Structure formats: C-alpha cells, structure tokens
Amino acid sequence: MSTPTDTTPAAPVVPEGHVAMEIDGQSVFAPKGSMIIHAADKAGIPIPRFCYHEKLPIAANCRMCLVDAEMGGRPFPKPQPACATPVADGMKIFTRNEKALKAQRNVMEFLLVNHPLDCPICDQGGECELQDLSMGYGRSVSRFVERKRVVADEDMGPLVATEMTRCIQCTRCVRFTADVAGTYELGGMQRGENLQIGTYDGKPLTTELSGNVIDVCPVGALTNKVFRFKARPWELTARESLGWHDALGSNLFLHVRRGEVLRTVPRDNEAVNECWLSDRDRYSHQGLYADDRASKPMIRTGEGSDATAFREASWDEAIAKAAEILRAAHGDDLGVLVHPSTSNEEGALIARLADALGTGNVDHRIAQHDLADGAVAEAFAMPVADIEAADAIIVVGSNLRHEVPLLHQRLHKAAKRGAKIHVVNPVDFDFTFKAASKTIVAPSQLASAVAGFKIEGATRAVVIVGAVAELSSQASAIRKAVADFAGANNAAVCRIPQGANALGLSRAGVLPTARDAQAMLADARGAYVIYGIEPGLDFADQARALKALGAAKVVAFSHYACRSTRAVADVILPIGALPEIDATLTNLEGRTQRAVAGGKLPGEARPGWRVLRALGGVLGANGFDFTDLAGAKLAAREVKVAASAAQKTAGEGLELAVSQAIYRVDATVRRAAALQSHPLEAGPRIVLNPADAAAASLAEGAMAKVDNGLGTATLQVVIDARVAAGAAWVESGYGATAALGAGRVRVTGVN
C-alpha cells in the first residue's frame, strides 16, 4: 500500500535583500528600499507616469502613478504614488482597480485643465506621453470652462525651442540640468497655479547636454529648435548610427525622411552613453548640408582656390587622374594623411593602398605635435561605466567637459558618489563637479606635476589623459610621467584617443613605418593623399602643412570642397560622411560598433570604401577585387611604429596651452549653424593670466599680435586668473588661431 504524498508546492524562497509582494495578483520580489514603480516595471506591469524617469531623482509631483495599496489586509487610507512609495514585505498593490483608476483619471483631468489644445501644431505630436496617456485616462469632454492660463516663453538658445504654456511642471528638465548635467540652469518659479519652469535670468542654456531636456520632456514644452516644423514622427525612418565627433562613440538614431537626416536622438546603451546624447552629436547633422559640400569629382585646371580653378569630371576621369598622380610619386615620395574619424573599413583599405604604392608614410595622428615616444591610441584600462565607481580620479591635460561631454558626466556621477577628483591642467577649466585638488601649471610643468602627485587610500584609481596633454609639445614626457605614476599607484590609465576612430585606425595599421604625420610635412613629399581632412584647420601645424601640401600634388578624398581643400588639391574625390555610409568605429574602450547608412549621399559622392576600391583597381593593387563592404574588411596591417624626433620647446615668450573648441572639432561640426550660435562657442581669442597681461601692457578686450615663429595671429585678449602664469590659452579649430600650434609664443599689442 503506497503512502500519500503532499503535492503542495513549496513556497518560493525570497532572495536575500528582497521582499515578497503582490502586484495585480502577481507575486513578485523587489529589492528592499526600491519603489513600487521599480517592482512593477520589472514585472512588466504598466503604471502611468510623467514626472518619474529612471535616470532622475524621484520628485513625486505629477501624481499620475497613484495606485491602491494594502498591508496585512488593511488598505492604505488613500492612493499612493508608486514612484515614491517603498516596497514592503507582504504588500499588495492594485494598479487597475476602481480606486486606482479613479485617482489616475482625476489627476489626468487636472493636468489637462490648463493644457492647450494645440496637438495638430505641436512638434511633440505623435510621440507625446501626455497625448498617449490622455487617450487611456482622459475624459472625452472637459468640465473646465474657465480661461486657460498662458505662460510667456523665454529664449533658451539656438538648440531648444520652448512653448511653456504646454508645461505640466513635471520638473524632469529641472532635475536633468541639476543632477545629470550639473549646471542648475532650470528651476520652478512662483507657486501654486502660478508655478512655471524657466531659467529665471532669461539666458540661454549653456550646458553641453541641453538637448536631453527635449528627450525627458513628456509634453511639447521643450522641443528641438533645429527640427521644429520640419516633419512628423511617422514620416521618419530610424537608422542606427554613432557619434563621430569624440572617441566615446555614443549610440544614436538618425531620423531620416527621403534621404535627408532631419533629427538625431539617443539610442540606449548603458555601457557607453546610457540614454543621453551630447549637443555636438545631436545637432551636427546640420553640417552635412553645407553649401560647400563636395558632391562631384573635380580636377584642377588653374591656379588658386576659387571654384573656377577646377572643373567637374566623371568618376572614371577623376580616378584616372588620381592614379596618374600616385604612380608618379610611388614610394617614399608619397605621403598619406588620414582624418582620425575615418572608419575601420576605409582605414584598412588606405593601409592596403599605401603598401601597394610602396610608401610607409601613412598616419592618422595629424593633430599631434609630439610623437617622440611613438605613441598610438590605446583602449581605456577600465570600462567607461566602471569609472563611476572609482574612488580617485586624476584628470591630466583635458578640458574634459568640452572634449568628451558624456565622459565628463560619468565623472560628475562619480563625484556625487564620493570619488575624489584631482585636476592637473594649464587652465582651471570649468567642470560641474568640485575637484578635491587643482594643480594649475604651465604646459611644460604638467609632467613634473603628475610625477610629484600623491594619492592616499585609493583602491580604484584612474588617470584620464586628454587632448591638452596629448596634443602638446610635451606629450611624450606627460605620457611617461602618467605611466610611471600609474605603475606606482596601481591606477588604470585612460588616454583619450585623439579622434573618433583613432583607436580603430591604429589597430588597422594606419600608422607609419617610415615618416609620421609631422615628419612627412616638415620634409615635404612630392605628392600626398589626404583623406577626410579640412587642410586649413585639422593639422597640428597649419602653416607647415599648407606649405607642404601647396607645393605638392594632392589627391583629396573629401567631404567638403572648401577653400583650403581647393587651395591644395589637384583632384577632389567626394566621399560620404559617417551618417551616410555603412561602417564601424572603435571607441575609447576598444568597443567596435556599427553605423548604418542614414542620409543620402550628396550628388555623385560615393562611400569612401567604394572610391578606394576603384582607385586600387585602376592601380592594379592586390586586395581590391571585392564587391561589397564585407570584402573591404581586410586583415590589419602589422606596423611597428618608430619614435620620431623629440619636440623642442625652449625659447622666449609664453607657453601655449591649446584646447579644442567644443564646436570646432571637425569640418561637419564647424558647419552646423545652430552649434555655431551656442553660448559655448566663444570665438577666437587669447586668454592670459593677469600678471602676463600686465607685463605685455595688454588690457581686457585689446587686440594682440601672437607670433610662434612660424605664423602669426591677431586675437582679442581676455584676462583670466584661471590660466597658469607663464601660459597663454587659445582654442583650436578657428581660422584666426590656425597659424598657432604648440610651443611658445610672443604676445604684443597691436598698434
């Protein structure tokens, strides 16, 4: 006779640190201290919300997420906000019962009391959270018959459009600027029915992340000023792409209509950019449609840089002319210079082409002065996301907030969590966190400042080296000092690659086996290939570069037929920019990411890999017989990079500290009209320490002649004690500062 068995299922084991609760009859586990809305989201149970955002501090001021709750069989006396009510063991939540739905519908009615009925002309229409939820929770007829309130708009700058009458005071934008961007530029003014959101002082937003307030706004109060009135969301096609103006490689979507990129929005990737996007990546697509965009192959027929010095040609004729130039300069007489945002596929083909032409003079490090140690881009020794958890961070030679805005935002988060951030710079640049210490010294003293630096008690230390250091005349000494410091303190070294794909190009072998970029310009070659470069603004030493290129035969693979390109090129081959081609880039932590073609190529422009394939075929080079992009992914070229001659910085005058202007980093950004109108676009100037300005008898606002021995510039003087004594700060990317490289300058008044 068998013994009966107990078939009652065993009670589930509650994970450590969790509580057991019930939501709409579904048993769930939730971490202690979390909120009801977190548990519901994890369980896939929808709760309406407006003010709640998973990346922002909890405000609980819209009340749209009200739910019914009970504990131990006893109901709570009134509905609870799910975003601000902690979970508890044994709690039962009802999100769809009569009490909860009545509360949610009443909140919706109040939200719509003053909201204008202008959905047909609102840019948020079709992707509006209020519009969506009002369909489920709103009444078909309003009981409110009084006059709706109207809020005057304020101008928040060239990027964000405002219609504040639509605002429902969710404060997402306020919390974003305060807690994520760290600039505290928006706030609530007045109280009750008079409450309104604004800047108070009426000035434009100055954060480099301002476009994110558009994404977090659940209504049409804050919209994209560049995109405004151009299209409806349902007319757009989304294409996966990448940010290509810094080495982070932010994930994004291009929103395209009939081949035109109309808008850029972030694509979630917690490991890279989370759900945010810098303004530089968001608005740069404007530059794709500049008047001087290269759209047809051109061959030189005369002298000078005017359009009349060129004639349009067929692709066959232009490729044949380019091949003729390259055959004539075969070998060491040829130099190949590549922009560091060039894709991996194009880079691999360029390296293969250089080998076929017998030249070792190929380099993408076009903006770097000091390559005495043969340095190339290296992947971060720590993942970007893990930097938030560091307990000590040393920033060396970087205006990080402008250089890689979303890496700076990671440091902002680290500082809020208690990390001590130390800064070693020639200028006391603006950061949104409070530095534990600041060492502000002239560029030549950065290496010794790092060597003498002490950190105590840190178990997770990080050293971040930026463009001010990497592009300086003392870069090799700084790199050595950083390596020695890291070795002695068990710190992770994170050198920011100087270009969106500098790391990928290094791995693809776009590096010299003979002369590096500086050497092949100092000792001019007979012919050059320049790829994706704006010659007048992208080189470390513009005067030397233009002199060398101007005296040589030049084949220019170019996005723009600008004046400086026309001044040096003999053949202009128009190629697609990253938003217009299929490609991969490798970001600063070594992550290779894919971009899909979004925008239509202008005119007769072609993807760069296709043009390289055609040129390689005409030249009879091996490895150019593929027919698609997959065939362009060739094996990396093995390169052992030789060290170059050390830079000499001795001499009289002030040491030049050069940082990249945030919206002048490359040709496309320079042509984005909205970014050029941004308050962070300060314009060409020279910033001096008060003592140095007094010694040169220069006053604020005066015009000064700046001479580095190779070129001169006339710049307006700004006096600021944030600049180290003995140094002069200028921003690169402007025509007015192009003649100045690194090293020392003499600064005198203009009579």
Side-chain angles (χ1 to χ4, degrees), residues 281-535:
D281 287 332
R282 186 184 296 267
Y283 294 99
S284 65
H285 64 85
Q286 265 196 314
L288 297 174
Y289 306 105
D291 292 339
D292 62 351
R293 188 70 200 273
S295 59
K296 293 184 178 180
M298 301 175 72
I299 294 176
R300 178 177 292 280
T301 58
E303 297 297 322
S305 58
D306 293 336
T308 56
F310 288 81
R311 66 172 175 84
E312 294 178 2
S314 68
W315 269 109
D316 287 344
E317 184 183 7
I319 292 290
K321 181 63 176 177
E324 177 187 329
I325 292 171
L326 298 182
R327 283 195 190 100
H330 189 281
D332 189 52
D333 200 33
L334 174 65
V336 181
L337 298 159
V338 182
H339 195 279
S341 66
T342 302
S343 73
N344 289 322
E345 291 74 19
E346 293 166 290
L349 291 175
I350 291 167
R352 177 65 61 92
L353 185 66
D355 283 345
L357 292 168
T359 181
N361 307 326
V362 54
D363 206 350
H364 69 275
R365 301 169 299 171
I366 59 174
Q368 293 171 251
H369 288 270
D370 182 8
L371 298 169
D373 54 350
V376 299
E378 298 172 350
F380 274 22
M382 175 182 287
V384 170
D386 291 353
I387 291 176
E388 296 176 21
D391 52 11
I393 304 172
I394 302 93
V395 178
V396 179
S398 178
N399 186 2
L400 191 60
R401 185 177 163 189
H402 290 189
E403 188 177 350
V404 189
L406 288 175
L407 177 57
H408 168 268
Q409 191 269 331
R410 296 274 190 180
L411 266 64
H412 176 80
K413 291 172 71 175
K416 288 171 64 177
R417 289 175 174 169
K420 294 186 180 299
I421 303 180
H422 307 272
V423 177
V424 182
N425 261 331
V427 179
D428 186 5
F429 294 116
D430 287 331
F431 299 106
T432 60
F433 49 79
K434 184 177 181 181
S437 72
K438 295 179 180 179
T439 305
I440 308 301
V441 295
S444 63
Q445 300 173 41
L446 288 175
S448 58
V450 171
F453 203 83
K454 303 290 184 184
I455 55 170
E456 297 179 357
T459 58
R460 298 184 305 279
V462 184
V463 185
I464 297 175
V465 185
V468 177
E470 291 281 353
L471 305 184
S472 76
S473 297
Q474 297 82 23
S476 57
I478 297 169
R479 285 189 286 262
K480 183 178 185 306
V482 166
D484 292 345
F485 170 83
N489 292 274
N490 194 29
V493 176
C494 298
R495 291 174 47 228
I496 299 173
Q498 296 309 300
N501 197 37
L503 182 55
L505 294 175
S506 296
R507 291 178 174 180
V510 187
L511 290 167
T513 55
R515 293 173 175 82
D516 62 30
Q518 295 306 311
M520 70 177 91
L521 291 172
D523 184 8
R525 306 291 87 199
Y528 293 91
V529 171
I530 58 175
Y531 198 96
I533 294 171
E534 185 169 16

Side-chain angles (χ1 to χ4, degrees), residues 178-218:
D179 293 276
V180 179
T183 53
Y184 297 89
E185 295 181 83
L186 293 172
M189 295 168 285
Q190 304 184 53
R191 301 183 70 182
E193 67 176 356
N194 295 318
L195 174 64
Q196 54 186 276
I197 305 299
T199 64
Y200 185 75
D201 59 8
K203 294 181 179 179
L205 298 178
T206 60
T207 171
E208 64 285 357
L209 305 176
S210 66
N212 292 289
V213 301
I214 299 164
D215 299 329
V216 300
C217 182

Side-chain angles (χ1 to χ4, degrees), residues 87-236:
V87 297
D89 202 36
M91 178 182 277
K92 290 187 177 182
I93 304 298
F94 306 94
T95 71
R96 304 287 296 172
N97 67 4
E98 182 180 355
K99 186 175 181 180
L101 288 173
K102 182 179 180 181
Q104 293 162 1
R105 287 168 179 157
N106 288 340
V107 168
M108 177 59 72
E109 183 175 17
F110 276 114
L111 288 174
L112 293 175
V113 157
N114 278 312
H115 197 77
L117 302 177
D118 62 350
C119 296
I121 63 165
C122 176
D123 256 353
Q124 198 83 345
E127 50 189 7
C128 172
E129 295 176 47
L130 180 63
Q131 194 177 56
D132 293 342
L133 289 178
S134 66
M135 293 296 291
Y137 298 90
R139 295 175 180 267
S140 59
V141 177
S142 174
R143 295 185 290 175
F144 185 76
V145 296
E146 287 77 9
R147 185 188 300 273
K148 290 176 180 282
R149 82 166 190 165
V150 176
V151 179
D153 291 325
E154 61 175 291
D155 187 355
M156 291 189 183
L159 308 182
V160 180
T162 58
E163 291 283 351
M164 300 312 291
T165 300
R166 300 171 184 157
C167 178
I168 61 171
Q169 292 86 45
C170 72
T171 70
R172 281 187 185 179
C173 60
V174 175
R175 285 173 284 147
F176 173 82
T177 58
D179 293 276
V180 179
T183 53
Y184 297 89
E185 295 181 83
L186 293 172
M189 295 168 285
Q190 304 184 53
R191 301 183 70 182
E193 67 176 356
N194 295 318
L195 174 64
Q196 54 186 276
I197 305 299
T199 64
Y200 185 75
D201 59 8
K203 294 181 179 179
L205 298 178
T206 60
T207 171
E208 64 285 357
L209 305 176
S210 66
N212 292 289
V213 301
I214 299 164
D215 299 329
V216 300
C217 182
V219 296
L222 302 173
T223 55
N224 186 323
K225 188 174 280 190
V226 172
F227 172 72
R228 201 178 192 195
F229 305 138
K230 287 191 174 180
R232 287 299 194 180
W234 53 84
E235 298 178 88
L236 305 174

Side-chain angles (χ1 to χ4, degrees), residues 235-247:
E235 298 178 88
L236 305 174
T237 302
R239 292 283 186 263
E240 295 183 358
S241 193
L242 303 169
W244 52 299
H245 309 298
D246 61 47

